[in-house]
Amino acid sequence: MNRIKLLTLTWLFSITSMAQVMVDEGTKMLYSPNESVFLWFSIDGGRPCYSVSYKQQPVVKKSYLGLELAKDKHASKGLEETDLMEGFQLVDTKKSTFDETWQPVWGETHEIRNHYNELAVTLKQRETNRIMILRFRVYDDGVGFRYEFPQQPDLNYFIIKEERTQFAMAGDHTAWWIPGDYDTQEQETQESKLSEIRSRFHDAVNWSNSSVSVFSETGVQTSLQMKSADSLYINIHEAACIDYATMHLNLDDKNMVFESWLTPDATGLKGFMQTPCKSPWRTVMVSDDARQILASNLILNLNEPCEISNVSWIKPIKYCGVWWEMIVGKSTWNYTDDFQSVDIDRPRYRTAKPNGRHGANTENVKRYIDFAAANGLDQVLVEGWNIGWEDWFGHWKENVFDFVTPYPDFDLFGLLKYAKEKGVRLMMHHETSSSVANYERRLDNAFIYMKAWGYNAVKTGYVGDIIPRGDHHYSQSMNRHYMHVVKEAAKYHIMVNGHETVRPTGLCRTYPNLIGNESARGTEYEAFGGNRPDHTVILPFTRLQGGPMDYTPGILETQLNTWSDNKNQVNTTLVGQLALYVTMYSPLQMVADLPENYAKYADAFQFIRDVPVDWSESIYIEAEPARYVTVARREKGGMNWFIGGKCNEDGHTSNIKLDFLFQGYIYTCTIYADGKKAHYKTNPKAYTISKKKVKRGDVLNLKMAPGGGFAISLEGHEDPNVKAVGVEARDR
Amino acid sequence: MNRIKLLTLTWLFSITSMAQVMVDEGTKMLYSPNESVFLWFSIDGGRPCYSVSYKQQPVVKKSYLGLELAKDKHASKGLEETDLMEGFQLVDTKKSTFDETWQPVWGETHEIRNHYNELAVTLKQRETNRIMILRFRVYDDGVGFRYEFPQQPDLNYFIIKEERTQFAMAGDHTAWWIPGDYDTQEQETQESKLSEIRSRFHDAVNWSNSSVSVFSETGVQTSLQMKSADSLYINIHEAACIDYATMHLNLDDKNMVFESWLTPDATGLKGFMQTPCKSPWRTVMVSDDARQILASNLILNLNEPCEISNVSWIKPIKYCGVWWEMIVGKSTWNYTDDFQSVDIDRPRYRTAKPNGRHGANTENVKRYIDFAAANGLDQVLVEGWNIGWEDWFGHWKENVFDFVTPYPDFDLFGLLKYAKEKGVRLMMHHETSSSVANYERRLDNAFIYMKAWGYNAVKTGYVGDIIPRGDHHYSQSMNRHYMHVVKEAAKYHIMVNGHETVRPTGLCRTYPNLIGNESARGTEYEAFGGNRPDHTVILPFTRLQGGPMDYTPGILETQLNTWSDNKNQVNTTLVGQLALYVTMYSPLQMVADLPENYAKYADAFQFIRDVPVDWSESIYIEAEPARYVTVARREKGGMNWFIGGKCNEDGHTSNIKLDFLFQGYIYTCTIYADGKKAHYKTNPKAYTISKKKVKRGDVLNLKMAPGGGFAISLEGHEDPNVKAVGVEARDR
């Protein structure tokens, strides 16, 4: 036993009772590969518990594990509802090590190392004879663990009333949190001490969202980013949430103990399980370096490998679309103002009077296709192309869209032909209005239609309360639905970008056709009242942990009243918008502003034209939650690098040492920077563009304005005077 | 005003207050075409109300109408939840007469007259400006009325908390009722005074059903058959229940007033409405002759005409199948006993050990195909053909069947070929286990599969609690589902026979591919403990009002222990089983017993071979609820007649005057009668078969044993001595 281990044990004894550790044979311990993370497991009077430390600092104090079961009225015996919380004894232990490097279909890096030590403890509940396995994987940047239930005579079907997984915090950390809610994640993140959550909760709720279901004044969502007084960055989330309800965290704010709080369906019950089965991974990421939280692949690594054998059709997408003009209010999704409401199976559009403001009309869509073709964009999203938008929202209406009938002024076939000739695809849009009953019924038909007309990507939407009525956006049944859509889409070689769906948990590793999600507060809120400037330097720590976000950046005309009646202003500088293409990783990036706005800022727009959507390497240069994020990324399989920096309302100065550049190359460095007096509120559109030659080891000094950022492209050329080194090694 | 009308008004004044009738301008009155039924409508202090009389006898006393609304959290204004119950004034009245004769695709008669007088009153709710139309149709055998909601500025979406339609009875009638239940109709009918319902309720519930949800100790289902002390037969039901929850009746047993009680979904709410919309028809059938209740076409007439333009593929079906042997317990639906439970998407049958008792094995199915071919049956139902039956029931399991994968011992392709060569079809079976979420997801695929392999009929099943969990079998959403299945099936030219679905309300007129339903306690219960002998002489008055039932008669071997370990005995005589093919009208009739049992009673079986499943004429010769039913039917487009008589446990003697036979024909009359000492319990299989020649005007004297009946076939031949009369006129 080396010194580090001894120190850890010393700490351990200080936070758990000596007696337990010494006498209970159920106690097991495990280090991460580099020994920075330490896991302790034990059985305390029949109750399984664990703790986690990082470099001898407590991360999760002794916390209990278990599941509370509901009575199954269908069960023949009486034991099914005995909770899986106590009366356990250890019957088997397995330790192992895993080290594998895998290549994602798309991602921040071209390969990912999955290296962990594993502890699997098999527990037996004496009274019921039931077996439960707790599997822990200990990484250098955190821990994942899950419950597993093998098929067994006395545990076949069971109903989860509540999962009782605790995460006992070691202090009153600073947390970046949004209110726990069964139906929306579109809140502004709050920064507060854990002890302040309760008092700030009510005002933190996005009460105006189309579907709101908060459940506790100390309930928060994951991924939850925290920072301890000792500057430990701790993040709690989940991985591989399949056939299981989404987990929230409810805080006991006297003891600073979080406990899992699952999303119920209409019955109020939270999980209908059939063995063999398992919970998602519960994850605790930890580091003393905030950059490591962003660079971590723990969530992806805990997901299963890709299940799609042929992935050649899955490709990152840069796209524009008929969208922002409607969000801002200049044009409309609906075709007519004639209808009080619509019966989708008996539409009356032939005689309806057009309202003259319908965005998805043929001429306007052609304009976007031209724009995409001229600027190397892959696709054009068209929202409002299909009938029903006169009456799509706000009535818990089941039969809302048919997904196959275009509006009279949308020449589908002509536009598909036009786009094809220009080398551009149209992106499909399926707003469901959360009428899942309707979408499931029409899904096959909708996908066959897409396939027939050559669409390969769909943006789905789930605005409003779920139908089947009473169900919630993040319940087990809804999570099954989202996964069903992704799997069905894969059969048709269709990529899915789900909006208002469940927040992701790394499932894009297994199903990389899940090319993006919204599932958080996106750019659209800039037109509804605004996102705070720190919003996009929090999201990488929280929402993006589970997978990419279709944040829809690129609003260069930040002052909306210059071209519309909308009084809102985007709460970043113009350059801040450019930075997001690098700082907010996604293989699906919208070029969200209007073509005419990009024409006004053609020189700045060049960065958006240039920036890739797939990467070989990503290096987080500096990061602090809600303060700033700076990251350098190398384009997939190429020599060129791109750097983005984004900060909050305080501004930020960056010194970037270019030691990641390839030796033997000279780079043309184009720097898009905030103007000297730029400010997201008062002077958002002041920017400078400068070019210079740089090479490996050079340093860039950059200043971000309040609410601003910077964006840099580095185009590499071989230096005839220096021998190139390391290219092959770094880019297999 | 003639004398009858004066008398009616006299009665009317005696049961409503004179003042109202005299002063309220909202009072309207309407007679049926032959003036036997009289409807009175009024507005009492802003509340709409009505009454019904029959030949001057009160049927429904003054009863209020209205809807209680729920608060719509999505509504922008505040008025949406104002109940539609009071504050109404009359703003328009329309009276009209309708008389049309239509031809059903299949039915008890080859044409049906739809003759009624109509009163439509348009009401305006002063406070809210909302318009509600009450439409009454007055037939000679009853009344139908419904609520209609035109689209209007102040009524677009609304939520029904409860429908408040009253049916005030004029006395403590005898009623044949089953407990009101959101999830099952498979109870034995109770015969009691209305005042006795409460005390008998608990014992009347079928607590052992797979899904039970009773709601009130005086809640009963429709169709509800009653008989007044004055021998009026009164029946309350509904017609054309589309996109609306199924109605139950809750009795105020102090005042003998029924009120509608709709089936909720998981939210507890009962209707999500979008104008223009309407309720189903609420029906009150009435006659002083019980036979007219059975002969009535009121329910069918209140449904919309056929919506399927090409109906050539819809054909009545006589079928046998692999079913009774499993119900009785001799063979099994499941293939193996190896599995504790099944993951339908990862089946493991290839290595599973067959249990040796699987009914749907190739050899056994061939036996049934041979039997069908030899006896002129159209189809062979095969239950248990598809994987999943090891784990199909009792766990609220979502992913239960895939509807397309046969068991290893079921040679689907070989059997289809074998059947085709013999001129027989296989009938598909889709048990859903009430996992509607799963069925909707797989429905397209399942129907494509059926079409590909030449199936044209499917028996569906909904055993167990509904998924989406919390929903009920008869809610608005589930009624939408059943209708979706029927409509989708029609696209594939598939006929549907739904079991455990909602009780029918005449929708087979509009969608005649809805060829049958169970939706009541069927023959299967004879193997589970028994149906009372009067069961099948109640069903024609109640369950059959809405449409045909797949009752699965024909169990000639009534003593199950002669061929199985099942100790139960069918509670009819052997001949009683024959009678059901005539008394229980259905275009879909199973020949439910085993081939080897029919071989034992080949002479009696001849009647089942001969009896048609479609008719040109039906004449109810005698009827009394729970006592006896005798009906003569002429085969569709033919000369031959068939007569069936069935009675309860008391036995019955019938004198049948054959005045309906064609003049100019001599009939070979084959009489299948109970043996002299036959008794359903002690001597069920004693029967006689006799033949004689009869002609129009002859009289048959027949005796039914306790729990017995009779069955008669009349084969017509032209009488060379007498001129044939009237054939053309009666069979257009």
Side-chain angles (χ1 to χ4, degrees):
Chain A
M1 194 176 278
N2 64 22
R3 190 176 149 272
I4 293 173
K5 284 182 185 163
L6 271 172
L7 279 171
T8 306
L9 276 182
T10 307
W11 162 75
L12 188 73
F13 287 7
S14 73
I15 64 160
T16 61
S17 92
M18 173 89 70
Q20 282 162 24
V21 176
M22 299 306 285
V23 307
D24 193 330
E25 291 182 3
T27 298
K28 304 290 166 189
M29 288 171 279
L30 192 70
Y31 274 97
S32 71
N34 75 0
E35 299 188 344
S36 59
V37 176
F38 176 77
L39 173 90
W40 171 87
F41 170 81
S42 190
I43 298 176
D44 175 6
R47 298 175 66 194
C49 53
Y50 76 108
S51 71
V52 178
S53 65
Y54 177 79
K55 296 181 183 173
Q56 294 79 58
Q57 291 181 274
V59 176
V60 179
K61 297 197 298 179
K62 181 178 168 187
S63 297
Y64 290 96
L65 299 169
L67 292 164
E68 189 181 350
L69 303 192
K71 187 166 170 53
D72 179 359
K73 72 172 188 167
H74 304 93
S76 48
K77 301 182 187 179
L79 282 177
E80 284 79 357
E81 71 265 34
T82 303
D83 297 333
L84 289 163
M85 293 183 69
E86 52 194 10
F88 285 104
Q89 63 189 39
L90 187 71
V91 293
D92 192 29
T93 304
K94 285 203 174 65
K95 287 190 182 183
S96 59
T97 293
F98 188 84
D99 191 0
E100 176 195 72
T101 298
W102 58 280
Q103 285 75 40
V105 175
W106 43 257
E108 296 188 79
T109 55
H110 78 287
E111 60 181 24
I112 293 173
R113 185 177 181 191
N114 186 11
H115 189 196
Y116 60 81
N117 291 330
E118 178 173 292
L119 167 69
V121 290
T122 300
L123 310 178
K124 184 175 193 169
Q125 193 174 37
R126 277 180 294 261
E127 187 196 345
T128 66
N129 244 9
R130 294 181 300 187
I131 295 292
M132 176 169 85
I133 296 167
L134 288 167
R135 189 177 303 276
F136 297 87
R137 290 184 180 168
V138 187
Y139 289 84
D140 291 335
D141 56 4
V143 171
F145 61 88
R146 71 179 178 193
Y147 302 86
E148 297 179 359
F149 307 95
Q151 192 165 73
Q152 49 195 296
D154 293 309
L155 194 62
N156 190 1
Y157 289 90
F158 60 101
I159 298 175
I160 298 173
K161 188 173 175 187
E162 189 59 273
E163 183 183 319
R164 298 286 188 198
T165 300
Q166 293 184 343
F167 304 87
M169 296 294 99
D172 187 9
H173 302 326
T174 297
W176 290 271
W177 56 276
I178 58 175
D181 193 305
Y182 298 149
D183 284 298
T184 182
Q185 302 131 4
E186 297 186 355
Q187 303 92 343
E188 283 272 27
T189 304
Q190 305 297 309
E191 178 177 320
S192 79
K193 293 285 177 192
L194 294 178
S195 56
E196 295 165 341
I197 290 176
R198 185 185 298 273
S199 63
R200 292 182 53 167
F201 188 86
H202 183 274
D203 292 344
V205 175
N206 181 2
W207 296 106
S208 67
N209 190 271
S210 59
S211 184
V212 181
S213 301
V214 294
F215 55 84
S216 158
E217 282 193 329
T218 54
V220 299
Q221 302 197 32
T222 71
S223 128
L224 175 69
Q225 180 64 48
M226 290 170 282
K227 186 178 180 180
S228 75
D230 298 328
S231 288
L232 271 195
Y233 299 89
I234 301 165
N235 184 299
I236 303 178
H237 192 34
E238 60 181 320
C241 184
I242 290 184
D243 200 4
Y244 203 90
T246 293
M247 179 180 76
H248 301 80
L249 298 172
N250 193 42
L251 180 66
D252 166 357
D253 55 0
K254 280 190 183 135
N255 301 300
M256 300 306 155
V257 176
F258 284 111
E259 195 170 82
S260 51
W261 186 297
L262 303 182
T263 308
D265 70 8
T267 63
L269 298 170
K270 301 193 167 181
F272 297 85
M273 310 297 285
Q274 175 188 1
T275 59
C277 57
K278 50 192 183 292
S279 74
W281 295 97
R282 280 60 188 95
T283 62
V284 181
M285 287 157 57
V286 58
S287 181
D288 49 16
D289 183 342
R291 298 176 302 177
Q292 180 52 36
I293 299 291
L294 301 185
S296 174
N297 286 305
L298 186 141
I299 302 279
L300 286 177
N301 277 332
L302 286 169
N303 276 269
E304 295 299 313
C306 181
E307 285 225 345
I308 302 171
S309 46
N310 166 17
V311 294
S312 62
W313 51 277
I314 302 173
K315 296 188 187 307
I317 299 169
K318 208 194 286 185
Y319 74 105
C320 64
V322 183
W323 176 76
W324 184 241
E325 59 178 85
M326 300 182 295
I327 292 287
V328 170
K330 192 186 181 190
S331 58
T332 62
W333 282 268
N334 55 305
Y335 167 77
T336 176
D337 297 336
D338 277 4
F339 302 155
Q340 186 180 358
S341 69
V342 175
D343 178 346
I344 198 70
D345 291 321
R346 290 182 191 76
R348 297 167 292 139
Y349 289 98
R350 214 163 292 174
T351 56
K353 185 179 157 217
N355 67 8
R357 303 196 306 134
H358 179 223
N361 69 75
T362 301
E363 283 318 301
N364 198 35
V365 174
K366 274 188 180 169
R367 221 165 52 88
Y368 280 90
I369 292 172
D370 293 342
F371 173 73
N375 295 291
L377 308 184
D378 304 299
Q379 303 212 359
V380 176
L381 167 72
V382 189
E383 296 203 0
W385 71 277
N386 58 324
I387 61 168
W389 286 94
E390 290 73 17
D391 183 33
W392 72 284
F393 165 67
H395 297 294
W396 233 358
K397 175 184 180 179
E398 180 174 335
N399 215 10
V400 59
F401 287 111
D402 73 357
F403 311 105
V404 294
T405 308
Y407 273 127
D409 62 345
F410 181 81
D411 175 12
L412 177 80
F413 311 125
L415 284 167
L416 287 166
K417 186 164 172 284
Y418 188 79
K420 194 171 185 179
E421 284 167 6
K422 300 234 167 185
V424 172
R425 278 178 188 269
L426 296 188
M427 186 184 290
M428 178 49 75
H429 184 227
H430 290 168
E431 174 57 50
T432 69
S433 301
S434 289
S435 180
V436 173
N438 181 55
Y439 193 40
E440 289 253 357
R441 206 167 262 180
R442 301 181 191 259
L443 189 67
D444 281 346
N445 210 25
F447 281 166
I448 288 167
Y449 182 92
M450 282 183 64
K451 199 69 195 162
W453 298 115
Y455 289 88
N456 75 345
V458 59
K459 172 179 172 179
T460 61
Y462 294 83
V463 172
D465 284 338
I466 297 293
I467 302 175
R469 297 183 183 92
D471 205 348
H472 293 291
H473 277 73
Y474 317 132
S475 68
Q476 182 188 29
S477 46
M478 280 301 297
N479 286 344
R480 286 175 61 95
H481 165 76
Y482 303 128
M483 193 48 52
H484 174 66
V485 171
V486 170
K487 286 183 182 179
E488 281 297 298
K491 291 183 189 166
Y492 292 93
H493 290 194
I494 289 170
M495 292 175 275
V496 176
N497 167 24
H499 280 229
E500 298 93 20
T501 56
V502 68
R503 51 194 167 283
T505 55
L507 293 169
C508 57
R509 177 181 178 188
T510 314
Y511 302 99
N513 69 316
L514 179 54
I515 195 84
N517 279 111
E518 183 188 47
S519 312
R521 190 178 176 98
T523 295
E524 61 186 6
Y525 278 85
E526 300 281 17
F528 304 159
N531 292 330
R532 287 201 321 265
D534 63 357
H535 186 56
T536 53
V537 282
I538 297 170
L539 288 177
F541 287 93
T542 56
R543 164 62 184 78
L544 299 196
Q545 291 296 349
M549 178 173 175
D550 185 27
Y551 187 73
T552 70
I555 307 302
L556 301 193
E557 185 45 86
T558 61
Q559 289 163 310
L560 307 182
N561 65 0
T562 59
W563 61 275
S564 76
D565 296 334
N566 193 313
K567 301 278 188 296
N568 289 290
Q569 184 171 326
V570 176
N571 285 332
T572 72
T573 64
L574 181 151
V575 168
Q577 288 289 315
L578 301 182
L580 298 177
Y581 288 90
V582 189
T583 59
M584 297 273 287
Y585 166 70
S586 177
L588 176 83
Q589 290 283 23
M590 190 171 196
V591 180
D593 211 342
L594 275 53
E596 55 267 40
N597 290 334
Y598 288 122
K600 284 167 64 180
Y601 306 103
D603 54 352
F605 178 57
Q606 185 61 41
F607 181 80
I608 299 179
R609 292 173 53 124
D610 293 340
V611 69
V613 284
D614 203 8
W615 309 99
S616 276
E617 286 184 80
S618 291
I619 296 166
Y620 285 90
I621 292 167
E622 54 177 358
E624 181 66 19
R627 303 296 181 268
Y628 51 82
V629 170
T630 300
V631 59
R633 304 190 196 270
R634 182 163 63 83
E635 66 177 340
K636 186 82 162 250
M639 292 295 102
N640 300 333
W641 288 81
F642 295 79
I643 310 175
K646 182 79 189 69
C647 69
N648 67 358
E649 65 274 21
D650 298 332
H652 181 67
T653 301
S654 298
N655 295 297
I656 303 172
K657 191 164 186 202
L658 302 173
D659 51 4
F660 46 81
L661 296 180
F662 287 110
Q663 202 163 333
Y665 282 77
I666 291 172
Y667 287 84
T668 304
C669 175
T670 308
I671 300 172
Y672 303 78
D674 288 321
K676 262 196 181 161
K677 295 189 173 171
H679 187 282
Y680 75 99
K681 248 202 167 49
T682 55
N683 189 21
K685 291 177 291 188
Y687 63 94
T688 65
I689 301 175
S690 57
K691 276 185 198 289
K692 59 178 170 178
K693 302 285 180 190
V694 297
K695 62 178 195 308
R696 179 183 171 89
D698 287 353
V699 174
L700 300 176
N701 294 305
L702 296 149
K703 203 161 178 291
M704 310 187 208
F710 58 79
I712 300 170
S713 66
L714 291 147
E715 197 185 343
H717 309 280
E718 273 189 58
D719 183 346
N721 304 319
V722 184
K723 184 165 177 274
V725 169
V727 179
E728 297 74 15
R730 283 166 70 178
D731 203 20
R732 282 178 282 197
Chain B
M1 194 177 277
N2 63 24
R3 188 175 151 274
I4 293 175
K5 284 182 186 164
L6 271 172
L7 280 172
T8 306
L9 277 182
T10 308
W11 161 75
L12 188 72
F13 287 7
S14 72
I15 64 160
T16 61
S17 91
M18 172 91 68
Q20 283 163 23
V21 176
M22 299 307 284
V23 306
D24 191 330
E25 291 183 4
T27 298
K28 303 290 164 189
M29 288 171 281
L30 191 70
Y31 275 98
S32 71
N34 74 1
E35 299 188 343
S36 59
V37 176
F38 176 76
L39 173 90
W40 172 88
F41 170 81
S42 190
I43 298 176
D44 175 7
R47 298 176 66 193
C49 54
Y50 76 107
S51 71
V52 177
S53 65
Y54 176 81
K55 297 180 181 173
Q56 294 80 57
Q57 290 181 274
V59 177
V60 179
K61 296 198 299 180
K62 183 178 167 187
S63 297
Y64 290 96
L65 299 170
L67 292 165
E68 187 182 351
L69 302 193
K71 185 165 172 54
D72 180 359
K73 72 170 188 168
H74 304 93
S76 47
K77 303 181 186 180
L79 281 177
E80 283 81 356
E81 70 265 33
T82 302
D83 298 332
L84 289 163
M85 293 183 70
E86 52 194 9
F88 284 104
Q89 62 188 43
L90 187 72
V91 294
D92 191 30
T93 303
K94 284 202 175 66
K95 287 189 182 184
S96 60
T97 293
F98 188 84
D99 191 358
E100 177 195 71
T101 297
W102 57 280
Q103 285 74 40
V105 175
W106 42 258
E108 295 188 81
T109 56
H110 79 287
E111 61 180 25
I112 293 173
R113 186 178 181 190
N114 186 10
H115 188 198
Y116 58 81
N117 291 329
E118 179 173 291
L119 167 69
V121 291
T122 301
L123 310 178
K124 185 175 193 171
Q125 192 174 38
R126 278 179 294 263
E127 187 197 346
T128 66
N129 244 9
R130 295 181 300 187
I131 294 292
M132 175 170 85
I133 296 168
L134 287 167
R135 188 176 303 276
F136 297 88
R137 290 185 178 166
V138 187
Y139 289 84
D140 291 334
D141 56 5
V143 170
F145 61 88
R146 71 180 178 192
Y147 301 86
E148 297 179 0
F149 307 95
Q151 192 165 73
Q152 49 194 297
D154 293 310
L155 193 63
N156 190 1
Y157 288 90
F158 61 101
I159 299 175
I160 298 173
K161 187 172 176 188
E162 190 59 272
E163 182 183 320
R164 298 288 188 195
T165 300
Q166 293 183 343
F167 305 87
M169 297 295 98
D172 186 9
H173 303 326
T174 297
W176 290 271
W177 57 275
I178 58 174
D181 193 305
Y182 299 149
D183 285 296
T184 182
Q185 303 132 2
E186 298 187 353
Q187 302 92 343
E188 283 272 27
T189 304
Q190 306 297 308
E191 177 177 320
S192 80
K193 293 285 178 191
L194 294 178
S195 56
E196 295 166 342
I197 290 176
R198 186 184 297 274
S199 63
R200 292 182 53 168
F201 189 85
H202 183 273
D203 291 345
V205 174
N206 181 2
W207 295 106
S208 66
N209 190 271
S210 59
S211 184
V212 181
S213 302
V214 295
F215 55 85
S216 157
E217 282 194 327
T218 55
V220 299
Q221 302 198 31
T222 71
S223 125
L224 175 69
Q225 180 63 48
M226 289 170 282
K227 185 178 181 180
S228 74
D230 299 327
S231 289
L232 271 194
Y233 299 88
I234 301 166
N235 184 300
I236 303 179
H237 193 33
E238 60 182 320
C241 185
I242 290 184
D243 200 5
Y244 203 89
T246 292
M247 178 179 75
H248 301 80
L249 298 172
N250 193 41
L251 180 66
D252 166 358
D253 54 0
K254 279 188 186 141
N255 301 300
M256 301 304 154
V257 176
F258 284 110
E259 194 171 82
S260 51
W261 186 297
L262 303 182
T263 308
D265 70 9
T267 64
L269 298 169
K270 300 191 168 182
F272 296 85
M273 309 299 284
Q274 175 188 1
T275 60
C277 58
K278 49 191 184 295
S279 75
W281 295 96
R282 279 60 187 96
T283 62
V284 180
M285 287 158 57
V286 57
S287 181
D288 49 16
D289 184 342
R291 297 177 303 177
Q292 180 52 36
I293 300 292
L294 301 185
S296 175
N297 287 305
L298 187 141
I299 302 280
L300 286 177
N301 277 330
L302 287 168
N303 276 269
E304 295 298 314
C306 183
E307 287 225 343
I308 301 171
S309 47
N310 166 16
V311 294
S312 62
W313 52 275
I314 301 173
K315 296 190 186 306
I317 299 169
K318 207 194 287 184
Y319 75 105
C320 64
V322 183
W323 176 76
W324 184 242
E325 60 179 84
M326 299 181 298
I327 291 287
V328 169
K330 191 186 181 189
S331 59
T332 63
W333 282 268
N334 55 304
Y335 166 77
T336 177
D337 298 336
D338 278 5
F339 302 155
Q340 186 181 357
S341 69
V342 175
D343 178 346
I344 199 70
D345 292 321
R346 291 182 190 77
R348 297 167 292 140
Y349 289 98
R350 215 164 291 173
T351 56
K353 185 180 157 217
N355 67 8
R357 304 197 305 136
H358 179 223
N361 69 76
T362 302
E363 283 318 301
N364 198 35
V365 174
K366 275 189 178 168
R367 221 164 53 89
Y368 281 88
I369 293 172
D370 292 342
F371 173 74
N375 295 291
L377 309 184
D378 304 299
Q379 303 212 358
V380 176
L381 167 71
V382 189
E383 297 203 359
W385 72 277
N386 59 324
I387 61 168
W389 286 94
E390 288 74 15
D391 183 34
W392 71 286
F393 164 68
H395 298 293
W396 233 357
K397 175 184 179 179
E398 179 173 336
N399 215 11
V400 59
F401 286 111
D402 73 358
F403 311 105
V404 294
T405 308
Y407 272 128
D409 62 345
F410 182 81
D411 175 12
L412 178 80
F413 313 126
L415 284 167
L416 287 166
K417 184 163 174 284
Y418 188 79
K420 194 169 185 182
E421 284 166 5
K422 301 232 166 185
V424 171
R425 279 177 188 269
L426 296 188
M427 186 183 290
M428 177 50 75
H429 184 229
H430 289 169
E431 174 57 50
T432 68
S433 301
S434 289
S435 180
V436 174
N438 181 56
Y439 193 39
E440 289 254 357
R441 205 166 262 180
R442 300 180 190 259
L443 190 66
D444 281 347
N445 208 27
F447 281 166
I448 289 167
Y449 182 91
M450 281 182 65
K451 199 71 194 162
W453 297 115
Y455 289 88
N456 75 346
V458 59
K459 173 181 173 178
T460 62
Y462 293 82
V463 172
D465 284 337
I466 297 293
I467 301 175
R469 297 183 184 92
D471 204 349
H472 293 292
H473 278 72
Y474 317 132
S475 67
Q476 182 188 28
S477 46
M478 279 301 297
N479 285 344
R480 285 175 61 95
H481 164 76
Y482 303 129
M483 193 47 53
H484 173 67
V485 171
V486 170
K487 286 183 181 177
E488 281 297 300
K491 292 183 189 166
Y492 293 93
H493 289 192
I494 289 170
M495 292 175 274
V496 177
N497 167 27
H499 280 229
E500 299 92 21
T501 55
V502 67
R503 52 195 166 282
T505 56
L507 293 170
C508 57
R509 178 182 177 187
T510 314
Y511 302 99
N513 68 316
L514 179 54
I515 195 84
N517 279 111
E518 183 189 47
S519 311
R521 190 178 177 97
T523 294
E524 61 187 5
Y525 277 86
E526 301 280 18
F528 304 159
N531 293 330
R532 286 201 322 265
D534 63 358
H535 185 56
T536 53
V537 282
I538 296 170
L539 288 176
F541 288 92
T542 55
R543 164 62 185 78
L544 299 196
Q545 290 295 350
M549 177 171 176
D550 185 28
Y551 186 73
T552 70
I555 307 302
L556 302 193
E557 185 44 86
T558 62
Q559 289 162 310
L560 307 183
N561 65 359
T562 58
W563 61 275
S564 76
D565 297 333
N566 193 313
K567 301 278 187 296
N568 289 289
Q569 185 172 328
V570 176
N571 285 332
T572 73
T573 63
L574 181 151
V575 169
Q577 288 289 316
L578 301 183
L580 298 177
Y581 288 90
V582 190
T583 61
M584 297 274 286
Y585 166 69
S586 176
L588 177 84
Q589 290 283 23
M590 191 171 195
V591 179
D593 210 341
L594 275 53
E596 55 268 38
N597 290 335
Y598 288 121
K600 285 166 63 180
Y601 306 103
D603 54 352
F605 177 58
Q606 185 61 41
F607 181 79
I608 299 180
R609 293 174 53 126
D610 293 340
V611 69
V613 284
D614 203 10
W615 309 99
S616 276
E617 287 184 79
S618 290
I619 296 166
Y620 285 90
I621 294 168
E622 54 179 357
E624 180 65 19
R627 304 296 181 269
Y628 51 83
V629 170
T630 300
V631 60
R633 304 190 196 268
R634 182 163 62 83
E635 67 177 338
K636 185 83 162 251
M639 292 296 102
N640 300 332
W641 288 79
F642 294 79
I643 310 176
K646 182 78 189 71
C647 69
N648 67 358
E649 65 276 20
D650 298 332
H652 181 67
T653 301
S654 300
N655 295 297
I656 302 172
K657 193 166 185 200
L658 300 174
D659 51 4
F660 46 81
L661 296 181
F662 288 109
Q663 202 163 333
Y665 282 77
I666 291 173
Y667 287 84
T668 303
C669 174
T670 309
I671 300 173
Y672 303 78
D674 289 321
K676 261 192 181 162
K677 295 188 172 170
H679 186 283
Y680 75 97
K681 246 197 167 54
T682 55
N683 189 21
K685 291 176 290 188
Y687 64 93
T688 65
I689 301 174
S690 57
K691 278 185 199 287
K692 58 179 173 180
K693 301 284 179 188
V694 298
K695 62 179 197 306
R696 178 183 172 88
D698 288 353
V699 174
L700 299 177
N701 294 303
L702 296 150
K703 201 161 177 297
M704 309 186 208
F710 58 78
I712 300 170
S713 65
L714 292 146
E715 194 185 346
H717 310 279
E718 274 190 56
D719 182 347
N721 304 318
V722 184
K723 185 166 176 275
V725 169
V727 179
E728 297 75 16
R730 285 167 67 179
D731 202 19
R732 282 176 286 198

